Amino acid sequence: MLWLQSFVSLLFLQDAVCTLNTLQTNASSLEQVRRERSHPQLQLQAMRGFLERAGLTVEELDHLNIIHVTGTKGKGSTCAFTEQILRSYGFRTGFYSSPHLVQVRERIRINGQPIGKELFTKYFWQVYGHLDETKDAHGGTMPAYFRFLTILAFHVFLQEKVDLAVIEVGIGGAYDCTNIIRRPWVCGISSLGIDHTQILGDTIEKIAWQKGGIFKPGVPAFTVRQPEDALATLRGRAKEIKCPLQVCPELDDYQTDCGPLRLGLAGQHQHSNASLALQLSHTWLQKRCLPDKSFPSTSVENFALLKAASFKPSPIMVKGLADTEWPGRNQTLKHGAVTYFLDGAHTMRSMQACVQWFRETAAQHERNASGPVARVLLFNATGERDSAAMLKALVPCHFDFAVFCPNITEAIASCNADQQNFNVSVENMLTRCLDNERSWRLHNSLGDDKGTQLFIKGSLPLVPEKRPDTLVFPCILSALQWITQGRDSVLADPTKRVFPVKPSVMAKAAPLCEVAEIHVLVTGSLHLVGGVLKHLDPATSK
């Protein structure tokens, strides 16, 4: 009977996720989003209304002891470090992040683990039921996808009685739906850069203004080192809001008995995220343990931008930093002769950091290889992002092959509602991939001719026949199976079916069969990385 219970539970979960996906395309939701783009201050007003319709109040959120984090690059990693540190102290943690890699339940975590299937289903229908019952009295409106998940996260954390909640901002800060939080215990801003320009603005100052919108009067805030113009804007926002803002020290400034701090997340850029996490967790612990001394004075003279003091991290903090895991960010997976380097970099600054990490890490793996190695790039980018610039940054990695595919896990799909995106057509996805392939060719034809840059040509099903000399695979699985050439047993599962590949395309893969190892960098999109992880680590789908 256990199998029957499990099957029924899965059906209820899939029903919940499919219902959630309707909020991606709900006409009233989309119209509301379009209207609010012109009047962003309406977003928080609408969010409060949906929160109340779901049976919650902003006053209840005050009891979640929230750490609120925004930024362009590294905010998720900062949250992961912070959550791990405080969980290591024995606190029951909630963690809300986005996007998810494989399953939507990853966005809402209790004690570091995605919320269970049964709990997700139960709490989903509780919140959805309240909203659905009240929609007729509110013009038929339902919250859009991210807004609903934010409400659901708050509901889950309150019901599960967490000691604290680490909340990652979705986009921006000032008008992000997470910013209905009134009284966080501490706020953080990770590295800033240019992204989401249509929503946040096209200059670093405009983006910094939006990010600084999470500041609250008297609530301590920390930021990492920023470009000078961004820092000036953050300082102005902090003074305007009467929020004490401090800049984090370098990670090497923290005194330890065991030499340099070891981080569970790879990459030099993680050092600033770890320093920010130390300041956030330290400040939270001060308020928890010394409530009368936790917040700095809110007198006006204290709003000069100060450098936060370094301190000696406790052994628990040291262990927390070392134990932190954050899949899809500077992650390495070795499957026999195939090694995957996974990083969801999707801005220029994050791509530059990705390139530095990959070149160092891949070189180390190549030194230990038993023979020749082939380097393969698997890339996709979505939205308004400058994929041509990101691809140019990848050229110095000297890939032997470049492969492009949309964020579709399987062309012959088993239902995977968690990764469905109804806001972009398959045709648009494939067109974007063809554009990316064209950019890659252009960058390499203008660059160094040394080395063996092999470009994949031919055509595949689902790719318009009028572009016969480009290779864009129709899905992630077909791309992975072509790249690995049967050398990864996880991908050789006969139940994983893809469209047949033309013999001319298969012939191009001969070098991949001859080398000792294949090294694959997967980057450009967290959704692409998530689709790859779904195939490489089946446990992530359970």
Side-chain angles (χ1 to χ4, degrees):
M1 291 300 291
L2 285 176
W3 69 267
L4 181 59
Q5 291 175 343
S6 179
F7 179 70
V8 171
S9 175
L10 179 61
L11 286 180
F12 282 136
L13 174 64
Q14 285 296 312
D15 190 24
V17 176
C18 289
T19 302
L20 172 64
N21 285 344
T22 66
L23 300 179
Q24 294 185 47
T25 53
N26 179 282
S28 65
S29 297
L30 293 177
E31 175 56 34
Q32 185 177 56
V33 169
R34 280 191 290 268
R35 187 170 62 249
E36 291 169 359
R37 285 278 176 87
S38 302
H39 304 282
Q41 64 275 14
L42 294 177
Q43 294 179 29
L44 294 181
Q45 182 180 329
M47 182 63 180
R48 291 188 192 95
F50 286 125
L51 190 75
E52 291 171 4
R53 283 172 52 189
L56 302 173
T57 66
V58 290
E59 288 77 16
E60 286 180 279
L61 305 187
D62 296 343
H63 302 297
L64 288 176
N65 308 333
I66 288 170
I67 297 173
H68 201 193
V69 181
T70 189
T72 306
K73 180 168 74 88
K75 62 181 184 293
S77 299
T78 297
C79 289
F81 280 128
T82 305
E83 186 276 335
Q84 178 68 61
I85 288 170
L86 293 173
R87 175 156 45 96
S88 298
Y89 274 93
F91 293 109
R92 182 170 172 80
T93 62
F95 180 10
Y96 177 57
S97 65
S98 62
H100 61 276
L101 291 176
V102 180
Q103 299 195 71
V104 70
R105 295 182 293 111
E106 298 167 26
R107 296 183 183 224
I108 303 173
R109 296 173 179 259
I110 301 291
N111 281 339
Q113 295 300 312
I115 182 175
K117 295 176 182 178
E118 292 79 11
L119 283 182
F120 180 88
T121 304
K122 179 179 79 170
Y123 291 135
F124 174 89
W125 290 116
Q126 286 177 2
V127 173
Y128 189 89
H130 283 305
L131 291 163
D132 191 51
E133 289 166 5
T134 56
K135 70 178 181 182
D136 290 342
H138 294 83
T141 57
M142 290 288 284
Y145 186 89
F146 181 78
R147 197 171 274 175
F148 179 90
L149 285 170
T150 304
I151 296 169
L152 179 60
F154 289 144
H155 178 66
V156 169
F157 296 154
L158 287 166
Q159 292 296 313
E160 291 296 304
K161 296 180 171 54
V162 298
D163 294 315
L164 70 137
V166 180
I167 304 293
E168 178 188 349
V169 167
I171 295 176
Y175 304 121
D176 184 77
C177 63
T178 65
N179 207 31
I180 58 168
I181 298 165
R182 303 184 314 166
R183 295 176 184 169
W185 279 20
V186 61
C187 297
I189 298 184
S190 65
S191 180
L192 297 183
I194 304 295
D195 195 18
H196 298 295
T197 54
Q198 292 181 348
I199 300 173
L200 305 180
D202 57 1
T203 68
I204 194 70
E205 294 93 339
K206 291 177 181 177
I207 289 171
W209 188 93
Q210 293 280 353
K211 305 289 184 181
I214 71 167
F215 295 155
K216 300 295 185 295
V219 174
F222 297 88
T223 185
V224 301
R225 290 178 60 187
Q226 305 285 5
E228 187 175 334
D229 292 341
L231 203 56
T233 301
L234 291 178
R235 178 183 179 181
R237 286 288 263 163
K239 187 173 182 180
E240 168 195 348
I241 296 171
K242 294 183 170 53
C243 162
L245 174 65
Q246 299 180 67
V247 179
C248 296
E250 299 296 323
L251 190 63
D252 292 341
D253 292 343
Y254 295 87
Q255 306 89 33
T256 67
D257 295 328
C258 52
L261 289 165
R262 189 171 67 84
L263 306 182
L265 305 184
Q268 183 69 27
H269 60 285
Q270 295 293 356
H271 288 200
S272 64
N273 299 329
S275 177
L276 178 54
L278 284 172
Q279 294 293 333
L280 295 174
S281 55
H282 184 253
T283 302
W284 191 92
L285 287 165
Q286 281 186 311
K287 179 167 173 60
R288 177 76 176 208
C289 303
L290 303 166
D292 295 331
K293 302 178 183 178
S294 59
F295 286 176
S297 167
T298 57
S299 60
V300 174
E301 59 267 24
N302 279 347
F303 294 114
L305 189 60
L306 303 175
K307 182 177 179 180
S310 61
F311 54 87
K312 184 177 182 179
S314 70
I316 294 176
M317 287 180 169
V318 172
K319 186 175 187 303
L321 290 176
D323 290 348
T324 300
E325 297 178 353
W326 195 225
R329 291 82 170 175
N330 304 129
Q331 181 181 8
T332 304
L333 288 177
K334 187 168 177 60
H335 286 196
V338 185
T339 303
Y340 302 90
F341 303 86
L342 308 170
D343 190 72
H346 53 272
T347 68
M348 267 308 297
R349 290 192 67 189
S350 59
M351 186 58 71
Q352 289 162 353
C354 170
V355 166
Q356 180 184 4
W357 164 73
F358 173 73
R359 294 183 74 175
E360 293 172 356
T361 309
Q364 188 175 25
H365 279 263
E366 286 176 18
R367 284 193 292 271
N368 297 325
S370 57
V373 173
R375 283 189 178 186
V376 183
L377 171 66
L378 179 57
F379 181 91
N380 190 41
T382 59
E384 65 192 61
R385 294 179 175 92
D386 189 349
S387 53
M390 288 193 284
L391 286 166
K392 186 175 182 179
L394 285 160
V395 170
C397 293
H398 300 297
F399 293 102
D400 299 298
F401 292 88
V403 178
F404 303 88
C405 69
N407 296 338
I408 300 172
T409 53
E410 300 172 62
I412 304 174
S414 55
C415 177
N416 185 23
D418 292 84
Q419 293 183 317
Q420 289 178 335
N421 183 345
F422 297 107
N423 295 322
V424 184
S425 70
V426 172
E427 181 180 5
N428 286 342
M429 292 182 197
L430 290 170
T431 299
R432 181 67 180 268
C433 290
L434 293 171
D435 290 341
N436 291 338
E437 194 270 350
R438 192 178 302 113
S439 293
W440 180 255
R441 284 209 234 176
L442 178 63
H443 290 318
N444 281 270
S445 65
L446 295 174
D448 187 359
D449 289 330
K450 297 175 183 177
T452 53
Q453 295 289 343
L454 302 180
F455 297 97
I456 306 161
K457 300 180 181 180
S459 65
L460 288 172
L462 299 188
V463 177
E465 288 296 329
K466 65 181 180 179
R467 298 185 183 274
D469 68 341
T470 61
L471 190 146
V472 174
F473 283 98
C475 69
I476 293 169
L477 179 58
S478 59
L480 288 173
Q481 290 190 337
W482 185 89
I483 291 167
T484 56
Q485 291 296 299
R487 302 178 73 175
D488 185 343
S489 59
V490 173
L491 296 171
D493 185 344
T495 62
K496 292 181 178 292
R497 298 184 300 121
V498 297
F499 288 117
V501 176
K502 289 186 175 182
S504 60
V505 175
M506 290 305 298
K508 296 288 184 183
L512 294 172
C513 301
E514 297 167 0
V515 294
E517 294 185 14
I518 302 170
H519 290 178
V520 189
L521 174 63
V522 183
T523 191
S525 164
L526 274 169
H527 300 287
L528 173 67
V529 169
V532 168
L533 279 173
K534 177 183 181 292
H535 292 301
L536 299 183
D537 186 4
T540 60
S541 299
K542 293 180 181 178

